[in-house]
Amino acid sequence: MQQQSFPDFSGHKIQDIQLLEILGHGAAGSVYHAMQTSLDREVAVKIICLDLLAKDYQIYLERLKREAKLAASLEHPNIVSIYNAGIQDTFFYIVMEYVKGETLQKRLEQVGHLPEVTAWEICLQLCSALEAAYTLGIIHRDIKPANILLTRENIPKLTDFGLCKRYDDLGLTQPGTILGTPNYMSPEQAAGIPSDFHSDMYSLGATIYTAITGHLIFESS
């Protein structure tokens, strides 16, 4: 799906949640900083406008529901927690843990690269998160710097399980379908071959390589 312009829902309410400001945009929607007034806590809310999904509407809606359900089943200090999800008016929303910090992508854009020790500490914590996911049979399939949030204490939290699936779930992905981000996807993903946890390991390795060197693992000359 191509990047496009999405409506700004800042100031809107979803039940007891007040949307405050946009934190960032993705290929399919926006993420907002919000306040859940009933619990007096900050949250992040992903908003997907269903009327902009066109012919992909039903397929993508199923992926959104799956993302919320699978991610909510994961409990780990290095995985962003999912609190709630649903449909309101013309958009789908996912309410999740608000992480005070920035993405690894943004950090690298600011500093170029990380100290090797810091990068490996982040890597070990993410390996622990992925192990917890694999224990439940879940693979992420889109690990990259933009999907890793760093707290102010440099604790990484893996987010955006929009392409995740269970090992035995082939219902929403047809053979030959390419999913992921080119600079970090594994060779089998690039070829449209069904992937398993080895693909996540490849993507994590490519991500840590970029974090340490400041360069992509493969760059055009």
Side-chain angles (χ1 to χ4, degrees):
M1 184 175 296
Q2 295 181 339
Q3 186 84 19
Q4 55 183 303
S5 177
F6 294 92
D8 185 354
F9 290 102
S10 298
H12 285 60
K13 290 194 70 174
I14 301 174
Q15 298 180 12
D16 64 334
I17 296 173
Q18 183 75 44
L19 302 180
L20 302 177
E21 60 182 345
I22 294 178
L23 294 174
H25 298 283
S30 305
V31 177
Y32 290 80
H33 178 204
M35 178 63 70
Q36 187 173 10
T37 55
S38 62
L39 297 177
D40 193 26
R41 70 175 175 183
E42 294 176 283
V43 294
V45 181
K46 176 188 284 188
I47 298 289
I48 307 294
C49 295
L50 298 178
D51 56 356
L52 296 180
L53 296 179
K55 65 180 181 179
D56 296 326
Y57 175 90
Q58 290 298 332
I59 293 177
Y60 202 85
L61 181 58
E62 288 304 311
R63 286 179 179 162
L64 290 170
K65 291 178 180 178
R66 180 185 60 181
E67 171 188 0
K69 185 175 181 179
L70 291 184
S73 70
L74 297 172
E75 295 184 7
H76 192 278
N78 300 115
I79 296 177
V80 171
S81 298
I82 301 296
Y83 300 142
N84 194 13
I87 298 175
Q88 178 169 305
D89 299 327
T90 60
F91 58 83
F92 183 88
Y93 65 89
I94 300 177
V95 183
M96 58 193 131
E97 173 186 3
Y98 174 63
V99 179
K100 294 182 179 179
E102 60 193 353
T103 66
L104 176 58
Q105 178 70 40
K106 185 174 181 179
R107 177 76 61 83
L108 294 177
E109 290 173 354
Q110 294 172 341
V111 303
H113 65 89
L114 301 180
E116 188 171 341
V117 172
T118 301
W120 283 120
E121 288 176 347
I122 289 172
C123 181
L124 289 175
Q125 293 179 72
L126 292 175
C127 283
S128 177
L130 291 175
E131 182 180 25
Y134 302 154
T135 299
L136 296 178
I138 298 172
I139 54 179
H140 189 281
R141 298 201 294 174
D142 196 22
I143 297 173
K144 58 185 178 181
N147 284 340
I148 298 170
L149 295 170
L150 295 178
T151 70
R152 294 170 181 172
E153 294 76 29
N154 279 331
I155 296 174
K157 287 181 175 284
L158 188 59
T159 188
D160 202 346
F161 280 75
L163 299 183
C164 69
K165 71 167 186 176
R166 295 190 185 276
Y167 294 157
D168 56 355
D169 177 13
L170 300 177
L172 294 178
T173 304
Q174 299 299 321
T177 300
I178 298 176
L179 297 174
T181 301
N183 289 330
Y184 300 97
M185 70 169 57
S186 65
E188 59 269 24
Q189 285 177 287
I193 300 172
S195 55
D196 59 17
F197 68 91
H198 294 92
S199 294
D200 279 354
M201 291 294 96
Y202 177 95
S203 298
L204 178 58
T207 296
I208 298 304
Y209 177 91
T210 299
I212 293 175
T213 67
H215 298 281
L216 298 173
I217 192 168
F218 294 110
E219 294 183 324
S220 59
S221 57

